[in-house]
Amino acid sequence: MIEKYAEEKKAALSHFEKLLDEQLKRAERIKAVKDFTDYSTLDKLIIGVCGGDGIGPYICKVSEDVMRFMLADEIAAGKVEIRDIEGLTIENRAAAGKAIPDDVMAELKSCQVILKGPTTTPRAGDPWPNIESANVAMRKELDLFANMRPVKVPSLGIDWTFFRENTEGGYAVGSKGIKVNDELSMDFVVTTTEGTERIARLAFDYARKNGINRVDVVTKANVIKTTDGKFLSICKEIGKEYPEIALDDWYIDIMTAKLVDEKRRRDFRVMILPNLYGDILTDEAAEIQGGVGTAGSANIGKRYAMFEAIHGSAPRMVNEGRAEYADPCSMLRAVVMLLRHIGRVDKAEKLEKALDICMFEEAKVKITGRPDGATSAEFADYLKSKL
Ligand code: IPM
Ligand code: MG
């Protein structure tokens, strides 16, 4: 009876074989890169800046200004170069029919670090071709395997750092699923040993370095047994290398509930999650902090690193003429992470402190996303006055 689908099965199997080959090759490739780039050995560090789409160019511009201000001495001394990269716009990506046009990819690869504004992610029914998200493509192509997303609300005792695996899970072949026939479609979830070990190590190292004695792993290993099961068991294995740190494991559904449980949520400090759960949980966490516009995100790989807001390009704000009122704090937090990542720890701390004053402690200039609040540029001036 199933034989009537012989043609569909053959096409699906051959597509699946290609996916398998790609993923087996990827697993080999990531195993081959051992060490992180040591920025202190570079004569000059190049930071690329792409504005992105929608509110992206607005919040990116003010963040780039603040970054230039923080690094002014090193830029003048020729130790740091900030390079504007044009062309990562949805119009160009649509015209090239590619998530990232080749010339833009080459420019990105000529930098060590990137500050990126949000980019529009097409989906079926949009005026754009349904190409892969530029974020996802960049994370994969530059192998930015760790998505680190801090969220804190000092007045509520919340201090969370999420380590979201950034290249695997549901995203690895998210735009290459199989439409077997009109009745049946299938997507795939990918977990590799190396891919999980490296994110787990980064999270445990972070906990150790910051004197945090607890790490929570969040999966749905009771249902997604093969890939989430592997993710969880590898995290537990890696955890044994850190005997002073306790590991607890949670399922994503109950963790989503616990983030709004005022009695329990303060206990969480460092969380490790597969890609999709990390995507979802960090939006919830950011909302608790004051909105997705307040949270930054570091995408870290061994050779490259990219820093961005956790949110999208907010086309609604642009359509309603509110782009200049967008909250730049997400990208300013990304600049803090960038500075820390390149070893400019003093500068990162200075900027972080000023941001804390402007966002939580004094909070004199309020961003509401609407004309009754400040513009991104006004907020940046307020911030600079505290630096
Ligand atoms: C994020 C975003 C992206 C993601 C989108 C824009 C593809 O939501 O960075 O969290 O899903 O990773
Ligand atoms: Mg997201």
Short mmCIF file of all heavy atoms in Angstrom, two decimals, residues 90-139:
data_model
loop_
_atom_site.label_atom_id
_atom_site.label_comp_id
_atom_site.label_asym_id
_atom_site.label_seq_id
_atom_site.Cartn_x
_atom_site.Cartn_y
_atom_site.Cartn_z
N ILE A 90 17.43 43.50 3.77
CA ILE A 90 16.50 42.51 3.21
C ILE A 90 16.38 42.70 1.69
O ILE A 90 16.28 41.72 0.94
CB ILE A 90 15.13 42.55 3.93
CG1 ILE A 90 14.18 41.48 3.38
CG2 ILE A 90 14.47 43.91 3.85
CD1 ILE A 90 14.57 40.07 3.66
N GLU A 91 16.45 43.96 1.21
CA GLU A 91 16.36 44.20 -0.23
C GLU A 91 17.51 43.50 -0.96
O GLU A 91 17.30 42.81 -1.95
CB GLU A 91 16.41 45.72 -0.54
CG GLU A 91 15.19 46.51 -0.06
CD GLU A 91 15.22 46.84 1.44
OE1 GLU A 91 16.27 46.60 2.10
OE2 GLU A 91 14.20 47.33 1.97
N ASN A 92 18.73 43.67 -0.45
CA ASN A 92 19.90 43.04 -1.09
C ASN A 92 19.86 41.53 -0.97
O ASN A 92 20.27 40.81 -1.88
CB ASN A 92 21.20 43.51 -0.44
CG ASN A 92 21.59 44.88 -0.92
OD1 ASN A 92 21.06 45.36 -1.90
ND2 ASN A 92 22.50 45.51 -0.20
N ARG A 93 19.41 41.05 0.17
CA ARG A 93 19.38 39.60 0.38
C ARG A 93 18.35 38.98 -0.54
O ARG A 93 18.58 37.91 -1.12
CB ARG A 93 19.10 39.29 1.85
CG ARG A 93 20.29 39.68 2.73
CD ARG A 93 20.11 39.32 4.17
NE ARG A 93 19.26 40.25 4.87
CZ ARG A 93 18.20 39.91 5.57
NH1 ARG A 93 17.85 38.64 5.68
NH2 ARG A 93 17.47 40.82 6.18
N ALA A 94 17.21 39.68 -0.70
CA ALA A 94 16.17 39.17 -1.59
C ALA A 94 16.68 39.16 -3.03
O ALA A 94 16.49 38.19 -3.77
CB ALA A 94 14.91 40.01 -1.47
N ALA A 95 17.38 40.26 -3.42
CA ALA A 95 17.88 40.35 -4.80
C ALA A 95 18.90 39.24 -5.07
O ALA A 95 18.93 38.65 -6.15
CB ALA A 95 18.50 41.72 -5.04
N ALA A 96 19.74 38.95 -4.08
CA ALA A 96 20.75 37.90 -4.26
C ALA A 96 20.14 36.51 -4.11
O ALA A 96 20.79 35.49 -4.42
CB ALA A 96 21.89 38.09 -3.26
N GLY A 97 18.91 36.45 -3.58
CA GLY A 97 18.26 35.16 -3.34
C GLY A 97 19.03 34.32 -2.32
O GLY A 97 19.02 33.10 -2.33
N LYS A 98 19.71 35.02 -1.39
CA LYS A 98 20.57 34.35 -0.42
C LYS A 98 20.46 35.00 0.94
O LYS A 98 20.28 36.23 1.01
CB LYS A 98 22.03 34.51 -0.87
CG LYS A 98 22.59 33.32 -1.59
CD LYS A 98 24.07 33.47 -1.77
CE LYS A 98 24.75 32.14 -1.49
NZ LYS A 98 26.11 32.12 -1.91
N ALA A 99 20.58 34.22 2.01
CA ALA A 99 20.49 34.79 3.35
C ALA A 99 21.55 35.86 3.56
O ALA A 99 21.30 36.89 4.19
CB ALA A 99 20.64 33.69 4.39
N ILE A 100 22.76 35.61 3.05
CA ILE A 100 23.83 36.62 3.13
C ILE A 100 24.55 36.64 1.78
O ILE A 100 25.16 35.64 1.39
CB ILE A 100 24.84 36.28 4.25
CG1 ILE A 100 24.11 36.19 5.60
CG2 ILE A 100 25.95 37.34 4.31
CD1 ILE A 100 25.00 35.90 6.78
N PRO A 101 24.46 37.75 1.03
CA PRO A 101 25.14 37.81 -0.27
C PRO A 101 26.64 37.54 -0.11
O PRO A 101 27.23 37.87 0.93
CB PRO A 101 24.87 39.25 -0.74
CG PRO A 101 23.65 39.69 0.01
CD PRO A 101 23.70 38.98 1.33
N ASP A 102 27.26 36.94 -1.14
CA ASP A 102 28.66 36.52 -1.04
C ASP A 102 29.61 37.66 -0.68
O ASP A 102 30.54 37.47 0.12
CB ASP A 102 29.12 35.89 -2.37
CG ASP A 102 28.35 34.60 -2.65
OD1 ASP A 102 27.76 34.04 -1.70
OD2 ASP A 102 28.33 34.17 -3.82
N ASP A 103 29.40 38.84 -1.30
CA ASP A 103 30.34 39.94 -1.02
C ASP A 103 30.22 40.38 0.45
O ASP A 103 31.23 40.69 1.09
CB ASP A 103 30.11 41.12 -1.98
CG ASP A 103 28.67 41.61 -1.98
OD1 ASP A 103 27.76 40.81 -1.68
OD2 ASP A 103 28.44 42.80 -2.27
N VAL A 104 29.01 40.35 0.98
CA VAL A 104 28.83 40.73 2.39
C VAL A 104 29.48 39.69 3.29
O VAL A 104 30.16 40.03 4.27
CB VAL A 104 27.32 40.89 2.73
CG1 VAL A 104 27.14 41.22 4.20
CG2 VAL A 104 26.68 41.95 1.85
N MET A 105 29.32 38.42 2.92
CA MET A 105 29.94 37.35 3.73
C MET A 105 31.46 37.52 3.74
O MET A 105 32.10 37.37 4.79
CB MET A 105 29.54 35.98 3.17
CG MET A 105 30.01 34.82 4.01
SD MET A 105 29.56 34.93 5.76
CE MET A 105 27.96 34.19 5.75
N ALA A 106 32.04 37.87 2.59
CA ALA A 106 33.49 38.05 2.52
C ALA A 106 33.92 39.20 3.44
O ALA A 106 34.92 39.11 4.16
CB ALA A 106 33.93 38.32 1.09
N GLU A 107 33.13 40.28 3.43
CA GLU A 107 33.47 41.41 4.31
C GLU A 107 33.35 41.03 5.78
O GLU A 107 34.19 41.41 6.60
CB GLU A 107 32.51 42.58 4.04
CG GLU A 107 32.87 43.39 2.81
CD GLU A 107 32.01 44.64 2.76
OE1 GLU A 107 32.30 45.60 3.50
OE2 GLU A 107 31.02 44.63 2.01
N LEU A 108 32.31 40.26 6.10
CA LEU A 108 32.13 39.84 7.49
C LEU A 108 33.34 39.02 7.94
O LEU A 108 33.85 39.18 9.05
CB LEU A 108 30.87 38.99 7.64
CG LEU A 108 29.53 39.72 7.48
CD1 LEU A 108 28.38 38.71 7.40
CD2 LEU A 108 29.29 40.68 8.64
N LYS A 109 33.81 38.16 7.02
CA LYS A 109 34.93 37.28 7.38
C LYS A 109 36.26 38.02 7.46
O LYS A 109 37.25 37.47 7.95
CB LYS A 109 35.01 36.12 6.39
CG LYS A 109 33.91 35.10 6.62
CD LYS A 109 34.09 33.89 5.73
CE LYS A 109 33.06 32.82 6.08
NZ LYS A 109 33.04 31.73 5.10
N SER A 110 36.29 39.28 6.96
CA SER A 110 37.52 40.04 7.09
C SER A 110 37.61 40.72 8.46
O SER A 110 38.59 41.38 8.78
CB SER A 110 37.62 41.08 5.97
OG SER A 110 36.68 42.11 6.20
N CYS A 111 36.56 40.58 9.27
CA CYS A 111 36.56 41.16 10.62
C CYS A 111 36.71 40.02 11.64
O CYS A 111 36.47 38.87 11.32
CB CYS A 111 35.23 41.85 10.91
SG CYS A 111 34.75 43.04 9.63
N GLN A 112 37.07 40.38 12.86
CA GLN A 112 37.08 39.34 13.91
C GLN A 112 35.78 39.39 14.70
O GLN A 112 35.31 38.37 15.20
CB GLN A 112 38.25 39.54 14.88
CG GLN A 112 39.60 39.17 14.33
CD GLN A 112 40.25 40.34 13.63
OE1 GLN A 112 40.06 41.49 14.02
NE2 GLN A 112 40.99 40.05 12.58
N VAL A 113 35.25 40.58 14.83
CA VAL A 113 34.06 40.76 15.66
C VAL A 113 33.04 41.61 14.89
O VAL A 113 33.43 42.46 14.10
CB VAL A 113 34.41 41.51 16.97
CG1 VAL A 113 33.53 41.07 18.10
CG2 VAL A 113 35.83 41.34 17.37
N ILE A 114 31.77 41.36 15.14
CA ILE A 114 30.72 42.05 14.39
C ILE A 114 29.66 42.57 15.36
O ILE A 114 29.24 41.86 16.28
CB ILE A 114 30.08 41.09 13.37
CG1 ILE A 114 31.13 40.66 12.33
CG2 ILE A 114 28.88 41.72 12.67
CD1 ILE A 114 30.91 39.28 11.79
N LEU A 115 29.24 43.81 15.11
CA LEU A 115 28.07 44.35 15.80
C LEU A 115 26.96 44.44 14.76
O LEU A 115 27.15 45.06 13.72
CB LEU A 115 28.40 45.75 16.37
CG LEU A 115 27.25 46.42 17.13
CD1 LEU A 115 26.98 45.69 18.45
CD2 LEU A 115 27.60 47.89 17.42
N LYS A 116 25.86 43.79 15.03
CA LYS A 116 24.84 43.66 13.98
C LYS A 116 23.46 44.11 14.47
O LYS A 116 23.00 43.67 15.52
CB LYS A 116 24.78 42.18 13.56
CG LYS A 116 23.74 41.88 12.51
CD LYS A 116 23.69 40.39 12.28
CE LYS A 116 22.32 39.81 12.31
NZ LYS A 116 21.34 40.28 13.21
N GLY A 117 22.81 44.96 13.69
CA GLY A 117 21.43 45.34 13.98
C GLY A 117 20.50 44.20 13.55
O GLY A 117 20.88 43.34 12.78
N PRO A 118 19.26 44.19 14.07
CA PRO A 118 18.33 43.12 13.71
C PRO A 118 18.02 43.10 12.21
O PRO A 118 17.98 44.16 11.57
CB PRO A 118 17.08 43.44 14.52
CG PRO A 118 17.26 44.77 15.12
CD PRO A 118 18.70 45.13 15.06
N THR A 119 17.85 41.91 11.69
CA THR A 119 17.56 41.77 10.26
C THR A 119 16.20 41.09 10.11
O THR A 119 15.82 40.26 10.93
CB THR A 119 18.64 40.89 9.59
OG1 THR A 119 18.87 39.75 10.43
CG2 THR A 119 19.94 41.64 9.41
N THR A 120 15.48 41.46 9.07
CA THR A 120 14.16 40.89 8.84
C THR A 120 14.27 39.43 8.41
O THR A 120 15.07 39.09 7.55
CB THR A 120 13.44 41.71 7.74
OG1 THR A 120 13.24 43.02 8.26
CG2 THR A 120 12.11 41.10 7.35
N THR A 121 13.47 38.58 9.05
CA THR A 121 13.47 37.16 8.68
C THR A 121 12.23 36.86 7.85
O THR A 121 11.11 36.91 8.37
CB THR A 121 13.47 36.28 9.94
OG1 THR A 121 14.64 36.59 10.70
CG2 THR A 121 13.48 34.81 9.59
N PRO A 122 12.40 36.57 6.55
CA PRO A 122 11.23 36.31 5.71
C PRO A 122 10.50 35.02 6.12
O PRO A 122 11.11 34.11 6.69
CB PRO A 122 11.82 36.14 4.31
CG PRO A 122 13.23 36.61 4.38
CD PRO A 122 13.66 36.45 5.80
N ARG A 123 9.24 34.99 5.85
CA ARG A 123 8.48 33.75 6.03
C ARG A 123 7.48 33.66 4.87
O ARG A 123 7.25 34.67 4.17
CB ARG A 123 7.76 33.72 7.38
CG ARG A 123 6.87 34.91 7.53
CD ARG A 123 6.07 34.88 8.79
NE ARG A 123 5.32 36.13 8.83
CZ ARG A 123 4.51 36.47 9.80
NH1 ARG A 123 4.33 35.68 10.82
NH2 ARG A 123 3.86 37.61 9.76
N ALA A 124 6.89 32.49 4.72
CA ALA A 124 5.98 32.29 3.59
C ALA A 124 4.88 33.34 3.63
O ALA A 124 4.35 33.65 4.69
CB ALA A 124 5.39 30.89 3.67
N GLY A 125 4.57 33.94 2.47
CA GLY A 125 3.50 34.93 2.40
C GLY A 125 4.02 36.36 2.45
O GLY A 125 3.30 37.30 2.13
N ASP A 126 5.28 36.56 2.84
CA ASP A 126 5.88 37.90 2.86
C ASP A 126 6.14 38.37 1.43
O ASP A 126 6.23 37.55 0.53
CB ASP A 126 7.22 37.87 3.62
CG ASP A 126 7.02 37.90 5.13
OD1 ASP A 126 5.86 38.00 5.55
OD2 ASP A 126 8.02 37.82 5.86
N PRO A 127 6.34 39.68 1.26
CA PRO A 127 6.71 40.14 -0.08
C PRO A 127 8.10 39.65 -0.50
O PRO A 127 8.47 39.76 -1.66
CB PRO A 127 6.68 41.67 0.04
CG PRO A 127 6.64 41.98 1.49
CD PRO A 127 6.09 40.79 2.19
N TRP A 128 8.89 39.12 0.42
CA TRP A 128 10.25 38.67 0.12
C TRP A 128 10.27 37.19 -0.20
O TRP A 128 9.43 36.44 0.29
CB TRP A 128 11.17 38.91 1.33
CG TRP A 128 11.00 40.24 1.93
CD1 TRP A 128 10.41 40.53 3.13
CD2 TRP A 128 11.38 41.48 1.36
NE1 TRP A 128 10.41 41.88 3.34
CE2 TRP A 128 11.00 42.49 2.28
CE3 TRP A 128 12.02 41.84 0.17
CZ2 TRP A 128 11.24 43.84 2.03
CZ3 TRP A 128 12.24 43.18 -0.07
CH2 TRP A 128 11.86 44.16 0.85
N PRO A 129 11.28 36.73 -0.97
CA PRO A 129 11.42 35.29 -1.13
C PRO A 129 11.69 34.66 0.24
O PRO A 129 12.29 35.30 1.11
CB PRO A 129 12.64 35.15 -2.05
CG PRO A 129 13.33 36.48 -2.06
CD PRO A 129 12.31 37.50 -1.70
N ASN A 130 11.25 33.44 0.42
CA ASN A 130 11.31 32.81 1.74
C ASN A 130 12.71 32.24 2.03
O ASN A 130 12.87 31.05 2.29
CB ASN A 130 10.24 31.72 1.82
CG ASN A 130 10.00 31.28 3.26
OD1 ASN A 130 10.51 31.88 4.19
ND2 ASN A 130 9.22 30.22 3.43
N ILE A 131 13.73 33.14 1.99
CA ILE A 131 15.11 32.70 2.22
C ILE A 131 15.38 32.53 3.71
O ILE A 131 14.61 32.99 4.55
CB ILE A 131 16.12 33.73 1.63
CG1 ILE A 131 15.69 35.15 2.00
CG2 ILE A 131 16.28 33.55 0.13
CD1 ILE A 131 16.64 36.24 1.52
N GLU A 132 16.50 31.87 4.02
CA GLU A 132 16.87 31.63 5.41
C GLU A 132 17.15 32.95 6.12
O GLU A 132 17.61 33.92 5.50
CB GLU A 132 18.12 30.74 5.45
CG GLU A 132 18.48 30.28 6.85
CD GLU A 132 19.74 29.39 6.90
OE1 GLU A 132 20.73 29.71 6.21
OE2 GLU A 132 19.70 28.38 7.62
N SER A 133 16.92 32.97 7.43
CA SER A 133 17.22 34.15 8.24
C SER A 133 18.70 34.49 8.16
O SER A 133 19.56 33.60 8.19
CB SER A 133 16.81 33.86 9.68
OG SER A 133 17.79 34.30 10.59
N ALA A 134 19.01 35.79 8.08
CA ALA A 134 20.42 36.21 8.02
C ALA A 134 21.13 35.89 9.33
O ALA A 134 22.30 35.51 9.32
CB ALA A 134 20.51 37.71 7.72
N ASN A 135 20.43 36.01 10.45
CA ASN A 135 21.05 35.67 11.76
C ASN A 135 21.48 34.22 11.76
O ASN A 135 22.58 33.88 12.14
CB ASN A 135 20.04 35.70 12.91
CG ASN A 135 19.47 37.02 13.20
OD1 ASN A 135 19.20 37.76 12.29
ND2 ASN A 135 19.30 37.32 14.46
N VAL A 136 20.50 33.39 11.37
CA VAL A 136 20.76 31.95 11.45
C VAL A 136 21.91 31.58 10.51
O VAL A 136 22.81 30.83 10.87
CB VAL A 136 19.46 31.17 11.13
CG1 VAL A 136 19.72 29.67 11.06
CG2 VAL A 136 18.40 31.48 12.18
N ALA A 137 21.89 32.18 9.30
CA ALA A 137 22.94 31.87 8.32
C ALA A 137 24.31 32.33 8.85
O ALA A 137 25.31 31.62 8.71
CB ALA A 137 22.63 32.56 7.00
N MET A 138 24.34 33.50 9.46
CA MET A 138 25.63 34.02 9.97
C MET A 138 26.15 33.15 11.11
O MET A 138 27.32 32.81 11.18
CB MET A 138 25.45 35.47 10.44
CG MET A 138 26.75 36.23 10.52
SD MET A 138 26.56 37.91 11.17
CE MET A 138 25.55 38.71 9.96
N ARG A 139 25.24 32.75 12.00
CA ARG A 139 25.65 31.90 13.11
C ARG A 139 26.22 30.60 12.60
O ARG A 139 27.22 30.10 13.13
CB ARG A 139 24.44 31.63 14.02
CG ARG A 139 23.96 32.87 14.76
CD ARG A 139 22.61 32.62 15.41
NE ARG A 139 22.06 33.83 16.00
CZ ARG A 139 20.79 33.94 16.37
NH1 ARG A 139 19.96 32.92 16.21
NH2 ARG A 139 20.35 35.05 16.90
#
